[in-house]
Amino acid sequence: MHRQIAGKLTGPFTKWIVLVVVLIAAVGLGSFAGKLLDVQDNEISSWLPESAESTQAIERLDAFQDPNDMGTTVVYYNEDGLTDAQLAAIEEHAAEIEEIEGVTEVVTPARAQAAGIPIPYVSEDGQVAKLDFTINRGDEVWYDMPDVAEDIRDLTRTDGVEVYVAGAGGQTADQAAAFEGFEGRLLLITLLAVILILLVSYRSPVLWILPIFTAVVGLGMSMGLLYFLAKHAGLTINGQTQFIMMVLVIGAGTDYALLLVARYREELRRHEDRHEAMAFALHRAAPAILASAATVVVGLLCLMFAELNSTAGLGPANAVAIAVTFVVMVTLLPALLVICGRWVFWPFVPHFGTDEPTASGFWARIGSSIDKRPRVVWVGTALVLGALCLGFFRLDTSGVPSDEIYAGDEVDSVIGQELLNDHDLVDASTPVQVVAPAADAEAVAEAMTGIEGLDDPMPPLVEGDTALIQASLQADSIAEESKDAVIEVRERVHAVSDEAQVTGWTALTMDIETASERDNKVIIPIVLIAVLLILVALLRALLAPVLLIGTVILSFGAALGISGLVFDLIYGLDHVDPGFPLFAFVFLVALGIDYNIFLMTRVREETAQHGTRRGSLIALSSTGGVITSAGFVLAATFAMLATMPMTFALQIGTTIALGVLLDTMIVRSVLVTALNLDLGGKIWWPSKIDSVDRSLPEPGSEPEREKVAALD
């Protein structure tokens, strides 16, 4: 039945129908791919769950300020001390900044003194001064701030003075600039890396074009479809979702292509008609590719249980992209392969009737080595991986401070913030904000007085029956002392009024961290259960799926352990985002289980004829090369994230690349194969598909090798 369907998709006539239909759909959806940027939501408040205190407080701030207001600080620094002329220039800059569209409330040192503002605007040593203002560009602030920051740098240039744009506006400008135009560069370098690996893997100057073309088509269709879902179905898409989706689709799509092409090449040696060869190849490879894609899709959909909106949105968005990629890979790629014919494999064309080279290749020799003492191999491998897991304790998941957000050179907002902190100037652009009933305003303000790390609150602002009380932090908005101050503010004001709610940049960051920690505890078990059920359905066994899940967890732990050492000792980064373990887990488990699926479906296929032990060796020799190539492709695509100037991208790209390589080179090829050889037919419990090797002696013994040889 399945082979008939596969044959109809790749028949002499239907292959052209498939080609035309998919390309028409690709043109239709792909034309909207470029608009995906227009529907991104990168506002920090949109990442939070509705239940977060800071989110609810923001909704009550409408009476006092526009939710799109963004505080920004311009920091001036002269190591020799700011002169009177330079201080006068700052006052002149205020008038020019006020001419920028959306700018209001410009406060300079002189204006602050005239207004009796109690916080200093010039440091005691005279080296640093600041200028504060609010800007509102509506929903376009994320896209506009890089240009606004550049305009401010141009008009505030002063001889002998270094000028930095900091505060919430400066941070937004730097983050937006980091992502600006990077999608195209990331896609280009990812494709170049994959092309290089495919050239080495296929040893063909032509064949690589088809998988790459098909993967790009899948990416374009995915982005076009996601544009409509974001615009009309309320799906949250942000910059983080989009750059992960790009490498995920290219990496996973190329993996599926490698498996299909490898099976097609095998069948071309067995069938003279290439259409028939593709029918058999698609029939035998498609279930493994489907199970692999389904595992990734289900794992990603589990993220919908997340409280954090950005995480919840990342899941379904990437799940849709993988589903689209799967459909494209099992329709367009087979059609292109049979249309092109055997010559596309040149110069190593698989002719009908020739021997399969993998039977005596590198992985066949690895399998023979493992077969001699499989129990020693899997126990030793598991112990080494367990030891590597200990490096996990070097990871600090309390959050990334502002001076570590960007990889490489420090940016304006970070340098400016450090200058403010070092010279005891308050960053007024990110105050702690408390919304409370007007009747409790004075009591709430009194409760906020005398808190370490927090200036005394400003007079309450009252609109109707609601009051806003604000106080400036004395340190970086996401420093530990600022978080401690917000914790104490919440404790005190909640004791005064049950309706008092605390928000602001620091509170938002803390609520994101809290939601991330909750998501880690809830979603990881859900993903494990979902993946386990898929494996049980695919392999029709219980013991094998449980063991495979165990090996992937061990691989994940080892990858995090190695990452902890790399981040600390090589990158010099002591902190990771609270959501980092969850992202790493979902991608490594969902993607890592792929290679076990590719291997174990082939083991099950060979078991019916050769038994589990012999079938395991055949499966390893047949799939070893293609799975290793797939691992290098996926590792390379995620490693490209490390080229982004953001620490989160560097860390997640490094960990997934390390984890994938560890999984393909060690866990799948050595650990899983050794377990198969040691347990034999027991691996399929309670199924009894193994009717050949149940009578074999202990693996690795001379009688066993003689009996296996006789089976050949």
Side-chain angles (χ1 to χ4, degrees), residues 192-259:
L192 290 175
V194 173
I195 289 170
L196 179 61
I197 294 172
L198 290 180
L199 282 170
V200 174
S201 176
Y202 286 146
R203 293 176 295 170
S204 168
V206 181
L207 183 56
W208 64 269
I209 297 174
L210 300 186
I212 290 295
F213 173 75
T214 311
V216 171
V217 168
L219 177 62
M221 293 177 66
S222 300
M223 293 175 67
L225 181 58
L226 288 174
Y227 164 75
F228 286 104
L229 292 176
K231 187 174 180 64
H232 302 293
L235 186 66
T236 300
I237 303 287
N238 54 43
Q240 177 178 272
T241 299
Q242 185 164 339
F243 74 69
I244 288 178
M245 177 192 66
M246 291 172 66
V247 297
L248 181 62
V249 166
I250 296 298
T254 308
D255 276 6
Y256 303 154
L258 281 164
L259 185 67

Side-chain angles (χ1 to χ4, degrees), residues 257-515:
L258 281 164
L259 185 67
L260 177 62
V261 171
R263 200 59 190 257
Y264 177 49
R265 184 160 44 191
E266 281 187 48
E267 298 300 333
L268 283 173
R269 302 180 190 278
R270 300 170 183 165
H271 303 276
E272 191 169 3
D273 183 353
R274 68 179 186 276
H275 301 91
E276 185 179 5
M278 179 55 77
F280 275 92
L282 195 55
H283 165 66
R284 288 170 175 163
I289 298 174
L290 174 60
S292 171
T295 302
V296 178
V297 167
V298 170
L300 289 167
L301 288 178
C302 289
L303 293 177
M304 294 176 67
F305 293 99
E307 282 192 349
L308 207 58
N309 285 340
S310 59
T311 302
L314 182 146
N318 282 281
V320 168
I322 288 294
V324 171
T325 302
F326 165 76
V327 173
V328 172
M329 283 296 169
V330 296
T331 54
L332 179 59
L333 181 59
L336 290 172
L337 286 168
V338 292
I339 287 172
C340 291
R342 294 176 187 262
W343 71 267
V344 78
F345 289 90
W346 183 87
F348 300 99
V349 179
H351 296 291
F352 173 60
T354 56
D355 294 331
E356 178 58 45
T358 59
S360 58
F362 172 78
W363 290 106
R365 296 193 295 273
I366 292 292
S368 297
S369 299
I370 297 172
D371 187 36
K372 294 174 182 177
R373 303 184 70 183
R375 186 166 301 175
V376 172
V377 171
W378 76 256
V379 170
T381 303
L383 289 174
V384 171
L385 292 174
L388 290 174
C389 292
L390 297 176
F392 170 76
F393 295 104
R394 298 186 75 98
L395 289 176
D396 182 350
T397 58
S398 62
V400 181
S402 60
D403 60 349
E404 292 183 16
I405 289 177
Y406 302 93
D409 296 334
E410 287 189 328
V411 295
D412 260 29
S413 59
V414 172
I415 299 173
Q417 187 63 55
E418 289 176 346
L419 286 170
L420 293 176
N421 295 341
D422 293 344
H423 292 266
D424 298 322
L425 290 181
V426 175
D427 178 9
S429 68
T430 55
V432 175
Q433 299 175 300
V434 180
V435 185
D440 298 324
E442 294 299 331
V444 168
E446 178 64 27
M448 294 172 62
T449 303
I451 294 177
E452 185 177 354
L454 188 73
D455 280 350
D456 289 341
M458 290 175 275
L461 302 174
V462 179
E463 291 288 342
D465 58 357
T466 304
L468 170 64
I469 306 95
Q470 302 184 96
S472 297
L473 291 161
Q474 296 172 353
D476 178 54
S477 60
I478 56 176
E480 286 303 316
E481 49 265 46
S482 295
K483 294 178 182 179
D484 291 340
V486 169
I487 291 173
E488 188 168 353
V489 168
R490 280 180 165 168
E491 290 175 352
R492 290 193 183 188
V493 302
H494 291 165
V496 172
S497 172
D498 292 337
E499 298 180 48
Q501 293 177 314
V502 181
T503 187
W505 195 272
T506 306
L508 284 166
T509 303
M510 292 172 61
D511 287 344
I512 287 176
E513 292 175 4
T514 300

Side-chain angles (χ1 to χ4, degrees), residues 488-544:
E488 188 168 353
V489 168
R490 280 180 165 168
E491 290 175 352
R492 290 193 183 188
V493 302
H494 291 165
V496 172
S497 172
D498 292 337
E499 298 180 48
Q501 293 177 314
V502 181
T503 187
W505 195 272
T506 306
L508 284 166
T509 303
M510 292 172 61
D511 287 344
I512 287 176
E513 292 175 4
T514 300
S516 295
E517 291 171 1
R518 175 265 178 197
D519 292 344
N520 290 342
K521 297 174 182 177
V522 172
I523 295 175
I524 287 177
I526 294 175
V527 172
L528 285 175
I529 293 171
V531 172
L532 178 63
L533 293 176
I534 291 175
L535 289 174
V536 169
L538 176 68
L539 299 177
R540 285 161 281 177
L542 290 178
L543 182 57

